[in-house]
Amino acid sequence: MIDPSLALAAVVRKATIDALGADFADVDPAVRRSDRADFQADLAMGLARRAKMAPRPIAEAIVAKIEQGDLVEKVEVAGPGFLNFTLRGSWLAEAATAALADERSGATRSEAPETIVIDYSSPNVAKEMHVGHLRSTVIGDSLARVLQFRGHEVIRQNHLGDWGTPFGMLIEHLLDVGAERAEEDLAVGELGAFYKAARAKFDADPAFTERSRRRVVSLQSGDAETLDRWRMLVEVSKKYFDSVYRKLGITMKAEDACGESFYDRRLAPLAGELEGSGKATISDGALCLFPAGFQNKEGQPLPMIVRKSDGGFGYAATDLAAIRYRLGDLGANRVLYVVGAPQSQHFAMLFEAAKALGWLAAPRRAEHVAFGSVLGTDKRMFKTRSGDTVRLVDLVDAAVERADAVIGEKNPDLEPAVRSEVARKVGVGAIKYADLSSDRIKDYVFDLERMVSFEGNTAGYAQYAYARARSIFRKAEGAKPGAIQVTEPAERALVLELLAFGGVVKLVEETLEPHRLAGYVYAVALAFTAFYEKCPILKSDVDPATRASRLALVELGSKVIARALDLLGIEVPERM
RNA sequence: GCGCCCGUAGCUCAGUUGGAUAGAGCGCUGGCCUUCUAAGCCGGUGGUCGCAGGUUCGACUCCUGCCGGGCGCGCCA
């Protein structure tokens, strides 16, 4: 057992049964970290009614039955009935030793691994990736890493916008400029310009508009030449997305792409099936599902339009086909949609419909992993000065450039090659961390200055703590990590923090909230820095046993920081 | 009109699922470098947790109603 809160919970649970009887086997010991002791257990107050006793006598009865063993150093009742626990340094030392020997740093795998589909990133073909894609991409990727680390089979799904009416104008524009020229334009990341040019002609030139309409029809009907052009657009875009993912350190691969076009051939049969079964009804000429509990402005049932009155299909149809595919063909137990909060009603309806259709039933579940918007420092939607959306790659470049300047100033001795690599890790880390460190449901302010600083809850602070730890090993000369002993308060605080790693990973698995992990990294980095400050390691007056122990703690600390940051998708530099 | 989300220090944010005295960073301010990275550490300043009720031994947390801001509500995703 590495996590002391779990070990302690077991001890308290047993004591509770011994004190109050087997009926109380189901109570949550409510073990929490405490600022007055190592841990506190808060169950006594809640038990008063059920046990027909006052909280304090309950607490005392439980304490009387606590088997301290090698875990508990001291336990006492405080206030209305809090149990305050101090753990034995020897137990903590052993747990830390076990964590250090464990390549997962003490984090367990799920006892019930699932197949989990994560839909995230989902850019549009022939369009630029902008800040709007940042959150889905970064949050989704972190969750994929966490769930995979927990031992689940994670299936990433990049639900590309690679089909539909815009492709009429895009293909016509492609034909206008010539395939070669188009490929060049698109390859260098001028997706935005390409799309805008097509759009401009579509809006201004009626002949072009008409050609585009006809082109949509030939695309839908599978015209070989049209499909060829379409394929080219998709391929070039996928290459571009791939380059952005590589730049950002995103684990999404080309083969994870499963866009709207994939579902196209499933839509007509799906609509036919729903219509035939009577589960969908015609309303105003459109084939609709009416999931329970949703109303429009007039108080009428709100539809999901499976087939439009013109016979075409919209996003609702595609999403229905997709959730069915994910639950059925992919065999998902859990389907996650990392999509902005404004679409929450749509997903609520989608899930409700999937339940009504019998596709989605417990223990299977679908969850909308919603997130807020990225705002500028003016608290409005993040845009450039001229009002354009900001390209993702420009954002990254700016952050890396800024990081490079800061590092050059703080550590002028770093060789240029090392420095630029460090700047890349720090700059990219800053952007991702800023996104992952606050509650995803809230909007957040994009402030490059703040992000790339190394103060407070930032990637740079954690990366710096890691780099300092690594620096110690470079200077250790013969000294090696050895038996861990936990004596100094700073050592104890650090070890308690480090041993909580597995619990935090589990929490993120449940809540799908990466900011819990970011908060944890910060807590570890704080504890580590305080330890570093108060507990000398390589200084001459440190005895060999203490030095070896502290080196072991530095090793464990740096491993946990690196692993936790990795789960956020952030790299660590060996030097800074 | 209905529904969803947000409201915590001057600013940017946490708050471990209802626990003890609401915490960080920035800002302002006082200390700490002849030895492991001062990008740091230790302290001070700063709060009617939007407002009002309710539930509870206990509420920033749960419920109800308001106020303020954002978003959504039939063939776009």
Coordinates of all heavy atoms in Angstrom, one line a residue, chain A residues 32 36 49 82 84 260 308 315 343 439 442 454 461 464 468 471 475 511 515 522 532 576, chain B residues 7 12-15 17 19-21 24 36-41 57 71 73-77:
Chain A
R32 N -9.4 12.9 5.1 CA -8.9 14.0 4.3 C -7.6 14.5 4.8 O -7.2 14.3 6.0 CB -9.9 15.2 4.5 CG -11.3 14.9 4.1 CD -11.6 14.8 2.6 NE -12.3 13.6 2.3 CZ -13.7 13.5 2.3 NH1 -14.4 14.5 2.6 NH2 -14.2 12.4 2.0
R36 N -3.9 20.4 10.5 CA -3.5 20.3 12.0 C -2.9 18.9 12.3 O -2.4 18.7 13.4 CB -4.8 20.3 12.8 CG -5.7 21.5 12.4 CD -6.9 21.5 13.1 NE -7.6 22.7 12.7 CZ -8.3 23.5 13.5 NH1 -8.4 23.2 14.8 NH2 -8.9 24.6 13.1
R49 N -26.7 10.6 14.5 CA -28.1 10.2 14.4 C -28.2 8.7 14.3 O -29.0 8.1 15.0 CB -28.7 10.9 13.2 CG -30.2 11.0 13.2 CD -30.7 11.7 12.0 NE -30.3 13.0 11.8 CZ -30.9 14.1 12.3 NH1 -32.1 13.9 12.9 NH2 -30.5 15.3 12.1
F82 N -13.6 15.4 15.4 CA -12.6 15.1 14.4 C -11.6 14.2 14.9 O -11.2 14.3 16.1 CB -11.9 16.4 13.9 CG -12.8 17.4 13.3 CD1 -13.3 18.5 14.0 CD2 -13.2 17.3 11.9 CE1 -14.2 19.4 13.4 CE2 -14.0 18.2 11.3 CZ -14.5 19.2 12.0
N84 N -7.8 13.3 14.5 CA -6.6 13.8 13.9 C -5.5 12.7 13.9 O -5.1 12.3 15.0 CB -6.1 15.1 14.6 CG -7.0 16.3 14.2 OD1 -7.8 16.2 13.2 ND2 -6.9 17.3 15.0
E260 N -16.7 13.4 -40.4 CA -18.1 13.3 -40.9 C -18.3 12.4 -42.1 O -19.4 11.8 -42.2 CB -18.6 14.7 -41.1 CG -18.7 15.5 -39.8 CD -18.9 17.0 -40.1 OE1 -18.8 17.4 -41.2 OE2 -19.0 17.8 -39.1
K308 N -33.3 16.1 -43.1 CA -33.9 17.4 -43.3 C -35.1 17.3 -44.4 O -35.2 16.3 -45.1 CB -32.9 18.4 -43.9 CG -31.8 18.6 -42.9 CD -30.8 19.8 -43.4 CE -29.9 19.3 -44.5 NZ -29.0 20.4 -44.8
Y315 N -26.0 17.8 -38.7 CA -25.1 17.3 -37.7 C -25.8 16.3 -36.7 O -25.1 15.4 -36.2 CB -24.5 18.5 -36.9 CG -25.5 19.3 -36.2 CD1 -25.9 19.1 -34.8 CD2 -26.2 20.4 -36.8 CE1 -26.8 19.8 -34.2 CE2 -27.1 21.1 -36.1 CZ -27.5 20.9 -34.8 OH -28.4 21.6 -34.2
Q343 N -22.6 23.8 -26.6 CA -23.3 22.7 -27.2 C -23.9 21.7 -26.2 O -24.3 20.6 -26.6 CB -22.4 22.0 -28.2 CG -22.1 22.9 -29.4 CD -21.2 22.2 -30.4 OE1 -21.4 21.0 -30.8 NE2 -20.3 22.9 -31.0
D439 N -10.5 25.3 -13.9 CA -11.7 24.5 -14.1 C -12.2 24.7 -15.5 O -12.4 25.8 -16.0 CB -12.7 25.0 -13.1 CG -13.9 24.1 -13.0 OD1 -13.9 23.1 -13.7 OD2 -14.8 24.3 -12.2
K442 N -15.2 26.9 -16.9 CA -15.2 28.4 -16.9 C -14.4 28.9 -18.1 O -13.5 28.3 -18.6 CB -14.5 28.9 -15.6 CG -15.2 28.5 -14.4 CD -14.5 29.1 -13.2 CE -15.1 28.7 -11.9 NZ -14.3 29.2 -10.7
F454 N 7.2 32.2 -14.5 CA 7.4 31.0 -13.8 C 7.0 31.1 -12.3 O 7.5 30.5 -11.4 CB 8.9 30.6 -13.8 CG 9.5 30.5 -15.2 CD1 10.7 31.0 -15.5 CD2 8.7 30.0 -16.2 CE1 11.2 31.0 -16.8 CE2 9.2 29.9 -17.5 CZ 10.5 30.4 -17.8
Y461 N 6.9 27.0 -13.3 CA 7.3 26.8 -11.9 C 7.6 25.3 -11.7 O 8.6 24.9 -11.0 CB 6.2 27.3 -11.0 CG 6.5 27.1 -9.5 CD1 7.3 28.1 -8.9 CD2 6.0 26.1 -8.8 CE1 7.6 28.0 -7.5 CE2 6.3 25.9 -7.4 CZ 7.1 26.9 -6.8 OH 7.4 26.7 -5.5
Y464 N 10.7 24.2 -13.5 CA 11.9 24.7 -12.9 C 12.2 23.9 -11.7 O 13.4 23.5 -11.4 CB 11.6 26.2 -12.4 CG 12.8 26.8 -11.7 CD1 14.1 26.9 -12.3 CD2 12.6 27.4 -10.4 CE1 15.1 27.5 -11.6 CE2 13.7 28.0 -9.8 CZ 14.9 28.0 -10.4 OH 16.0 28.6 -9.7
R468 N 15.8 21.9 -11.3 CA 16.6 22.0 -10.1 C 17.0 20.6 -9.5 O 18.1 20.4 -9.1 CB 16.0 22.9 -9.1 CG 15.9 24.3 -9.4 CD 15.0 25.0 -8.4 NE 15.8 25.8 -7.5 CZ 15.3 26.5 -6.5 NH1 14.0 26.5 -6.3 NH2 16.0 27.2 -5.7
S471 N 19.5 19.0 -11.6 CA 20.8 19.6 -11.5 C 21.5 19.0 -10.3 O 22.7 18.9 -10.3 CB 20.5 21.1 -11.3 OG 21.6 21.7 -10.7
K475 N 25.4 17.2 -10.1 CA 26.5 17.6 -9.2 C 26.7 16.6 -8.1 O 27.6 16.9 -7.2 CB 26.1 19.0 -8.6 CG 26.0 20.0 -9.7 CD 25.9 21.4 -9.2 CE 26.0 22.4 -10.4 NZ 25.6 23.7 -10.0
T511 N -13.6 12.6 -12.6 CA -14.2 13.9 -12.8 C -13.9 14.4 -14.2 O -14.6 15.4 -14.6 CB -13.7 14.9 -11.8 OG1 -12.3 15.0 -11.9 CG2 -14.0 14.4 -10.3
H515 N -7.6 20.0 -14.3 CA -7.0 21.0 -13.4 C -6.7 20.5 -12.0 O -5.9 21.0 -11.3 CB -7.9 22.2 -13.3 CG -9.1 22.1 -12.4 ND1 -10.2 21.4 -12.7 CD2 -9.3 22.6 -11.2 CE1 -11.1 21.5 -11.7 NE2 -10.6 22.2 -10.8
Y522 N 1.4 21.5 -8.9 CA 1.8 22.8 -8.2 C 2.1 22.5 -6.7 O 3.1 23.0 -6.2 CB 0.7 23.8 -8.4 CG 1.1 25.2 -7.8 CD1 2.3 25.7 -8.0 CD2 0.2 25.9 -7.0 CE1 2.6 27.0 -7.5 CE2 0.5 27.1 -6.5 CZ 1.7 27.7 -6.7 OH 2.0 28.9 -6.2
Y532 N 13.8 21.6 -0.8 CA 15.0 21.9 -1.4 C 15.7 23.0 -0.6 O 16.9 23.1 -0.4 CB 14.7 22.3 -2.8 CG 15.9 22.7 -3.7 CD1 16.6 21.8 -4.4 CD2 16.3 24.1 -3.7 CE1 17.7 22.2 -5.2 CE2 17.3 24.5 -4.5 CZ 18.0 23.6 -5.2 OH 19.1 24.0 -6.0
M576 N 17.4 24.4 -17.1 CA 16.5 25.6 -17.5 C 17.3 26.9 -17.3 O 18.2 26.9 -16.5 CB 15.3 25.7 -16.6 CG 14.0 25.4 -17.3 SD 12.6 25.3 -16.1 CE 11.8 26.9 -16.5
Chain B
rG7 P -18.2 30.6 -10.3 OP1 -16.9 30.2 -9.8 OP2 -19.5 29.8 -9.8 O5' -18.5 32.1 -10.1 C5' -17.6 33.1 -10.7 C4' -18.1 34.5 -10.4 O4' -19.4 34.6 -10.9 C3' -18.1 34.8 -8.9 O3' -17.7 36.2 -8.7 C2' -19.6 34.8 -8.6 O2' -20.0 35.7 -7.6 C1' -20.3 35.1 -10.0 N9 -21.6 34.5 -10.1 C8 -21.9 33.2 -10.4 N7 -23.2 33.0 -10.4 C5 -23.7 34.2 -10.2 C6 -25.1 34.6 -10.2 O6 -26.1 33.9 -10.3 N1 -25.3 35.9 -9.9 C2 -24.3 36.8 -9.7 N2 -24.6 38.1 -9.5 N3 -23.0 36.5 -9.8 C4 -22.8 35.2 -10.0
rU12 P -9.7 39.6 -13.3 OP1 -10.3 39.7 -14.7 OP2 -10.6 39.4 -12.1 O5' -8.6 38.5 -13.3 C5' -7.7 38.3 -14.3 C4' -6.9 37.1 -14.1 O4' -6.0 37.3 -13.0 C3' -7.6 35.8 -13.8 O3' -8.2 35.2 -14.9 C2' -6.6 35.0 -13.1 O2' -5.7 34.4 -14.1 C1' -5.8 36.0 -12.3 N1 -6.3 36.1 -10.9 C2 -5.7 35.3 -10.0 O2 -4.9 34.4 -10.3 N3 -6.2 35.4 -8.7 C4 -7.1 36.3 -8.3 O4 -7.5 36.3 -7.1 C5 -7.6 37.2 -9.3 C6 -7.2 37.1 -10.6
rC13 P -9.4 34.2 -14.7 OP1 -9.8 33.7 -16.1 OP2 -10.5 34.8 -13.9 O5' -8.7 33.0 -13.9 C5' -9.4 32.3 -13.0 C4' -8.5 31.5 -12.2 O4' -7.7 32.3 -11.2 C3' -9.1 30.4 -11.3 O3' -9.4 29.3 -12.0 C2' -8.0 30.2 -10.2 O2' -6.9 29.4 -10.7 C1' -7.5 31.6 -10.0 N1 -8.1 32.4 -8.9 C2 -7.7 32.0 -7.6 O2 -6.8 31.2 -7.4 N3 -8.3 32.7 -6.6 C4 -9.2 33.6 -6.8 N4 -9.8 34.2 -5.8 C5 -9.6 33.9 -8.1 C6 -9.1 33.3 -9.1
rA14 P -10.4 28.2 -11.4 OP1 -10.7 27.3 -12.5 OP2 -11.5 28.9 -10.7 O5' -9.5 27.4 -10.4 C5' -9.9 27.3 -9.1 C4' -8.8 26.6 -8.3 O4' -8.1 27.6 -7.6 C3' -9.4 25.7 -7.2 O3' -9.6 24.4 -7.7 C2' -8.3 25.8 -6.2 O2' -7.1 25.0 -6.6 C1' -7.9 27.2 -6.3 N9 -8.7 28.1 -5.4 C8 -9.5 29.1 -5.8 N7 -10.2 29.7 -4.9 C5 -9.7 29.1 -3.7 C6 -9.9 29.3 -2.4 N6 -10.8 30.2 -1.9 N1 -9.3 28.4 -1.5 C2 -8.5 27.5 -2.0 N3 -8.1 27.2 -3.2 C4 -8.8 28.1 -4.1
rG15 P -11.0 23.7 -7.5 OP1 -10.9 22.3 -8.0 OP2 -12.1 24.6 -8.0 O5' -11.2 23.7 -5.9 C5' -10.2 23.0 -5.1 C4' -10.4 23.4 -3.7 O4' -10.2 24.8 -3.5 C3' -11.8 23.1 -3.1 O3' -12.0 21.8 -2.7 C2' -11.9 24.1 -2.0 O2' -11.2 23.6 -0.8 C1' -11.1 25.3 -2.5 N9 -11.9 26.3 -3.2 C8 -12.2 26.5 -4.5 N7 -13.0 27.5 -4.8 C5 -13.3 28.0 -3.5 C6 -14.2 29.0 -3.1 O6 -14.8 29.8 -3.9 N1 -14.2 29.2 -1.8 C2 -13.6 28.4 -0.9 N2 -13.8 28.7 0.4 N3 -12.8 27.4 -1.2 C4 -12.7 27.3 -2.5
rU17 P -14.0 15.3 -0.6 OP1 -14.6 16.5 0.0 OP2 -13.1 14.5 0.1 O5' -15.2 14.4 -1.2 C5' -16.5 14.6 -0.8 C4' -17.1 15.9 -1.4 O4' -16.5 16.1 -2.7 C3' -18.6 15.8 -1.6 O3' -19.1 17.1 -1.5 C2' -18.7 15.4 -3.1 O2' -19.9 15.7 -3.7 C1' -17.6 16.2 -3.7 N1 -17.1 15.7 -5.0 C2 -16.3 14.6 -5.0 O2 -15.9 14.0 -4.1 N3 -15.9 14.2 -6.3 C4 -16.3 14.8 -7.5 O4 -15.8 14.4 -8.5 C5 -17.1 16.0 -7.4 C6 -17.5 16.4 -6.1
rG19 P -16.6 19.2 3.1 OP1 -16.4 19.6 1.8 OP2 -15.8 18.0 3.6 O5' -16.4 20.4 4.1 C5' -15.1 20.6 4.7 C4' -15.3 21.1 6.1 O4' -16.4 20.4 6.8 C3' -14.1 20.7 7.0 O3' -13.9 21.8 7.9 C2' -14.5 19.4 7.7 O2' -13.8 19.2 8.9 C1' -16.0 19.7 7.9 N9 -16.8 18.5 8.1 C8 -16.9 17.4 7.2 N7 -17.8 16.6 7.6 C5 -18.3 17.1 8.8 C6 -19.4 16.6 9.6 O6 -20.0 15.6 9.5 N1 -19.6 17.5 10.6 C2 -19.0 18.7 10.9 N2 -19.3 19.4 11.9 N3 -18.0 19.2 10.1 C4 -17.7 18.3 9.0
rA20 P -13.2 23.1 7.5 OP1 -14.1 23.9 6.6 OP2 -11.8 22.9 7.1 O5' -13.2 23.8 8.9 C5' -14.4 24.1 9.6 C4' -14.1 24.2 11.0 O4' -13.7 22.9 11.6 C3' -13.0 25.2 11.3 O3' -13.2 25.8 12.6 C2' -11.8 24.3 11.5 O2' -10.7 24.8 12.3 C1' -12.4 23.1 12.2 N9 -11.7 21.8 12.0 C8 -11.5 21.1 10.8 N7 -10.8 20.0 10.9 C5 -10.5 20.0 12.3 C6 -9.9 19.0 13.1 N6 -9.3 17.9 12.6 N1 -9.8 19.3 14.4 C2 -10.4 20.4 14.9 N3 -11.1 21.3 14.3 C4 -11.1 21.1 13.0
rU21 P -13.9 27.3 12.6 OP1 -14.0 27.6 14.0 OP2 -15.0 27.3 11.7 O5' -12.8 28.2 11.9 C5' -13.0 29.6 11.9 C4' -11.8 30.4 11.3 O4' -10.6 30.2 12.1 C3' -11.4 29.9 9.9 O3' -11.0 31.0 9.1 C2' -10.2 29.0 10.1 O2' -9.4 28.9 9.0 C1' -9.6 29.7 11.3 N1 -8.7 28.9 12.1 C2 -7.3 29.0 11.8 O2 -6.9 29.6 10.9 N3 -6.5 28.2 12.6 C4 -6.9 27.4 13.6 O4 -6.1 26.7 14.2 C5 -8.3 27.4 13.9 C6 -9.1 28.1 13.1
rA24 P -1.7 30.3 1.8 OP1 -0.8 29.8 2.8 OP2 -2.2 31.7 1.9 O5' -1.2 29.9 0.4 C5' -1.2 30.9 -0.6 C4' -1.0 30.3 -1.9 O4' -2.2 30.0 -2.5 C3' -0.3 31.3 -2.9 O3' 1.1 31.2 -2.8 C2' -0.9 30.8 -4.2 O2' -0.2 29.7 -4.7 C1' -2.3 30.4 -3.9 N9 -3.3 31.5 -3.9 C8 -3.8 32.2 -2.8 N7 -4.7 33.1 -3.1 C5 -4.6 33.2 -4.5 C6 -5.3 34.0 -5.4 N6 -6.1 35.0 -5.1 N1 -5.0 33.8 -6.7 C2 -4.1 32.8 -7.1 N3 -3.5 32.0 -6.3 C4 -3.8 32.2 -5.0
rC36 P 25.3 26.7 -4.2 OP1 25.3 27.1 -5.6 OP2 24.5 27.5 -3.2 O5' 24.9 25.2 -4.1 C5' 25.6 24.2 -4.8 C4' 24.7 23.1 -5.2 O4' 24.2 22.4 -4.0 C3' 23.5 23.5 -6.0 O3' 23.8 23.6 -7.3 C2' 22.5 22.3 -5.7 O2' 22.7 21.3 -6.6 C1' 22.9 21.8 -4.3 N1 22.0 22.1 -3.3 C2 21.7 21.1 -2.4 O2 22.2 20.0 -2.5 N3 20.8 21.3 -1.4 C4 20.2 22.5 -1.3 N4 19.4 22.6 -0.2 C5 20.5 23.6 -2.2 C6 21.4 23.3 -3.2
rU37 P 22.6 23.8 -8.4 OP1 21.8 22.6 -8.3 OP2 23.3 24.1 -9.7 O5' 21.7 25.0 -8.0 C5' 22.3 26.3 -7.9 C4' 21.4 27.3 -8.4 O4' 21.1 27.0 -9.8 C3' 20.0 27.4 -7.8 O3' 19.7 28.8 -7.6 C2' 19.1 26.7 -8.7 O2' 17.7 27.2 -8.7 C1' 19.7 27.1 -10.1 N1 19.4 26.2 -11.2 C2 18.7 26.9 -12.3 O2 18.5 28.1 -12.3 N3 18.5 26.0 -13.3 C4 18.7 24.7 -13.4 O4 18.4 24.0 -14.4 C5 19.4 24.1 -12.2 C6 19.7 24.9 -11.2
rA38 P 19.3 29.3 -6.1 OP1 20.6 29.7 -5.5 OP2 18.4 28.4 -5.5 O5' 18.6 30.7 -6.4 C5' 17.2 30.7 -7.0 C4' 16.8 32.1 -7.1 O4' 16.6 32.6 -5.7 C3' 17.8 33.0 -7.7 O3' 17.1 34.0 -8.5 C2' 18.5 33.7 -6.6 O2' 19.0 34.9 -6.9 C1' 17.3 33.8 -5.6 N9 17.8 33.9 -4.2 C8 18.3 32.9 -3.4 N7 18.6 33.3 -2.2 C5 18.3 34.6 -2.2 C6 18.5 35.7 -1.3 N6 19.0 35.4 -0.1 N1 18.1 36.9 -1.6 C2 17.7 37.1 -2.8 N3 17.5 36.3 -3.8 C4 17.8 35.0 -3.5
rA39 P 16.9 33.8 -10.0 OP1 17.7 32.6 -10.4 OP2 17.1 35.0 -10.6 O5' 15.4 33.4 -10.1 C5' 14.3 34.3 -10.2 C4' 13.1 33.6 -10.7 O4' 13.4 33.1 -12.1 C3' 12.6 32.4 -9.9 O3' 11.2 32.3 -10.0 C2' 13.3 31.3 -10.6 O2' 12.6 30.1 -10.5 C1' 13.3 31.7 -12.1 N9 14.4 31.2 -12.9 C8 15.7 31.0 -12.5 N7 16.4 30.5 -13.5 C5 15.5 30.3 -14.5 C6 15.7 29.7 -15.7 N6 16.8 29.3 -16.2 N1 14.6 29.6 -16.5 C2 13.4 30.0 -16.0 N3 13.1 30.6 -14.9 C4 14.3 30.7 -14.1
rG40 P 10.4 32.5 -8.7 OP1 9.1 31.9 -9.0 OP2 10.4 33.9 -8.3 O5' 11.1 31.7 -7.6 C5' 11.1 30.2 -7.7 C4' 11.9 29.7 -6.5 O4' 13.2 30.4 -6.5 C3' 11.4 30.1 -5.1 O3' 10.4 29.1 -4.7 C2' 12.6 30.0 -4.2 O2' 13.0 28.6 -4.0 C1' 13.7 30.6 -5.2 N9 13.7 32.0 -5.0 C8 13.4 33.0 -5.9 N7 13.6 34.2 -5.4 C5 14.1 34.0 -4.1 C6 14.5 35.0 -3.2 O6 14.5 36.2 -3.2 N1 14.9 34.4 -2.0 C2 15.0 33.0 -1.8 N2 15.4 32.6 -0.6 N3 14.6 32.1 -2.7 C4 14.2 32.7 -3.9
rC41 P 9.2 29.6 -3.8 OP1 8.2 28.5 -3.8 OP2 8.7 30.9 -4.2 O5' 9.9 29.7 -2.4 C5' 10.4 28.5 -1.8 C4' 11.1 28.9 -0.5 O4' 12.2 29.8 -0.8 C3' 10.3 29.6 0.5 O3' 9.5 28.7 1.3 C2' 11.3 30.3 1.4 O2' 12.0 29.4 2.2 C1' 12.3 30.7 0.3 N1 12.1 32.1 -0.2 C2 12.5 33.2 0.5 O2 13.0 33.0 1.6 N3 12.3 34.5 0.1 C4 11.7 34.6 -1.1 N4 11.5 35.9 -1.5 C5 11.3 33.5 -1.9 C6 11.5 32.3 -1.4
rC57 P -29.2 18.5 12.8 OP1 -29.3 17.2 13.4 OP2 -30.4 19.4 12.9 O5' -27.9 19.3 13.3 C5' -27.9 19.9 14.6 C4' -26.5 20.3 14.9 O4' -25.7 19.2 15.1 C3' -25.8 21.2 13.8 O3' -26.2 22.5 13.9 C2' -24.4 20.9 14.2 O2' -24.0 21.7 15.3 C1' -24.4 19.4 14.6 N1 -24.1 18.5 13.5 C2 -22.7 18.4 13.0 O2 -21.9 19.1 13.6 N3 -22.4 17.6 12.0 C4 -23.4 16.9 11.5 N4 -23.1 16.0 10.5 C5 -24.8 16.9 11.9 C6 -25.1 17.8 12.9
rC71 P -23.0 35.8 -25.5 OP1 -22.2 36.1 -26.7 OP2 -24.2 36.6 -25.1 O5' -23.5 34.3 -25.4 C5' -22.5 33.2 -25.8 C4' -23.1 31.9 -25.5 O4' -23.6 31.8 -24.1 C3' -24.4 31.5 -26.2 O3' -24.1 31.1 -27.6 C2' -24.9 30.3 -25.4 O2' -24.1 29.2 -25.5 C1' -24.6 30.9 -24.0 N1 -25.8 31.6 -23.4 C2 -26.9 30.8 -22.9 O2 -26.7 29.6 -22.9 N3 -28.0 31.4 -22.4 C4 -28.1 32.7 -22.4 N4 -29.2 33.3 -21.9 C5 -27.0 33.6 -23.0 C6 -25.9 33.0 -23.4
rC73 P -29.3 27.7 -30.8 OP1 -29.1 26.9 -32.0 OP2 -29.3 29.2 -30.9 O5' -30.8 27.3 -30.2 C5' -31.2 26.0 -30.1 C4' -32.5 25.9 -29.4 O4' -32.4 26.5 -28.1 C3' -33.6 26.6 -30.1 O3' -34.2 25.9 -31.2 C2' -34.6 26.8 -28.9 O2' -35.3 25.6 -28.7 C1' -33.7 27.0 -27.8 N1 -33.5 28.5 -27.5 C2 -34.4 29.1 -26.7 O2 -35.4 28.4 -26.2 N3 -34.3 30.4 -26.4 C4 -33.3 31.1 -27.0 N4 -33.2 32.4 -26.7 C5 -32.3 30.5 -27.8 C6 -32.5 29.2 -28.0
rG74 P -34.9 26.7 -32.4 OP1 -33.8 27.6 -32.8 OP2 -36.2 27.2 -32.1 O5' -35.1 25.6 -33.5 C5' -34.0 24.7 -33.8 C4' -34.3 24.0 -35.1 O4' -35.4 23.1 -34.9 C3' -34.6 25.0 -36.2 O3' -34.0 24.6 -37.4 C2' -36.1 24.9 -36.3 O2' -36.6 25.0 -37.7 C1' -36.4 23.4 -35.9 N9 -37.7 23.3 -35.2 C8 -38.3 24.1 -34.3 N7 -39.5 23.7 -33.9 C5 -39.7 22.5 -34.7 C6 -40.8 21.7 -34.7 O6 -41.8 21.7 -34.1 N1 -40.6 20.6 -35.6 C2 -39.5 20.4 -36.4 N2 -39.5 19.4 -37.2 N3 -38.4 21.3 -36.4 C4 -38.6 22.3 -35.5
rC75 P -33.3 25.7 -38.1 OP1 -32.9 26.8 -37.2 OP2 -34.1 26.2 -39.3 O5' -32.0 24.9 -38.4 C5' -31.5 24.5 -39.5 C4' -31.9 23.1 -40.0 O4' -33.3 22.8 -39.7 C3' -31.8 23.0 -41.5 O3' -30.5 22.5 -41.8 C2' -32.9 22.1 -41.9 O2' -32.3 20.8 -42.2 C1' -33.7 21.9 -40.6 N1 -35.2 22.0 -40.9 C2 -35.8 21.0 -41.7 O2 -35.1 20.2 -42.2 N3 -37.1 21.1 -41.9 C4 -37.8 22.1 -41.3 N4 -39.1 22.1 -41.5 C5 -37.2 23.0 -40.4 C6 -35.9 23.0 -40.3
rC76 P -29.6 23.6 -42.5 OP1 -30.3 24.8 -42.8 OP2 -28.8 22.8 -43.5 O5' -28.6 23.8 -41.3 C5' -27.5 22.9 -41.0 C4' -26.2 23.7 -41.0 O4' -26.5 25.0 -40.4 C3' -25.2 23.0 -40.1 O3' -24.4 22.1 -40.8 C2' -24.3 24.2 -39.7 O2' -23.4 24.6 -40.7 C1' -25.4 25.3 -39.6 N1 -25.9 25.5 -38.2 C2 -25.1 26.3 -37.3 O2 -24.1 26.8 -37.7 N3 -25.6 26.4 -36.0 C4 -26.7 25.8 -35.6 N4 -27.1 26.0 -34.4 C5 -27.5 25.0 -36.5 C6 -27.0 24.9 -37.8
rA77 P -24.4 20.6 -40.2 OP1 -23.9 19.8 -41.3 OP2 -25.6 20.3 -39.5 O5' -23.2 20.8 -39.1 C5' -21.9 21.1 -39.5 C4' -21.1 21.3 -38.3 O4' -21.6 22.4 -37.5 C3' -21.2 20.1 -37.3 O3' -20.2 19.1 -37.6 C2' -20.9 20.8 -35.9 O2' -19.5 20.9 -35.7 C1' -21.5 22.2 -36.1 N9 -22.9 22.3 -35.6 C8 -24.0 22.0 -36.3 N7 -25.1 22.2 -35.5 C5 -24.6 22.6 -34.3 C6 -25.2 22.9 -33.1 N6 -26.6 22.9 -32.9 N1 -24.5 23.2 -32.0 C2 -23.1 23.2 -32.2 N3 -22.4 22.9 -33.3 C4 -23.2 22.6 -34.3

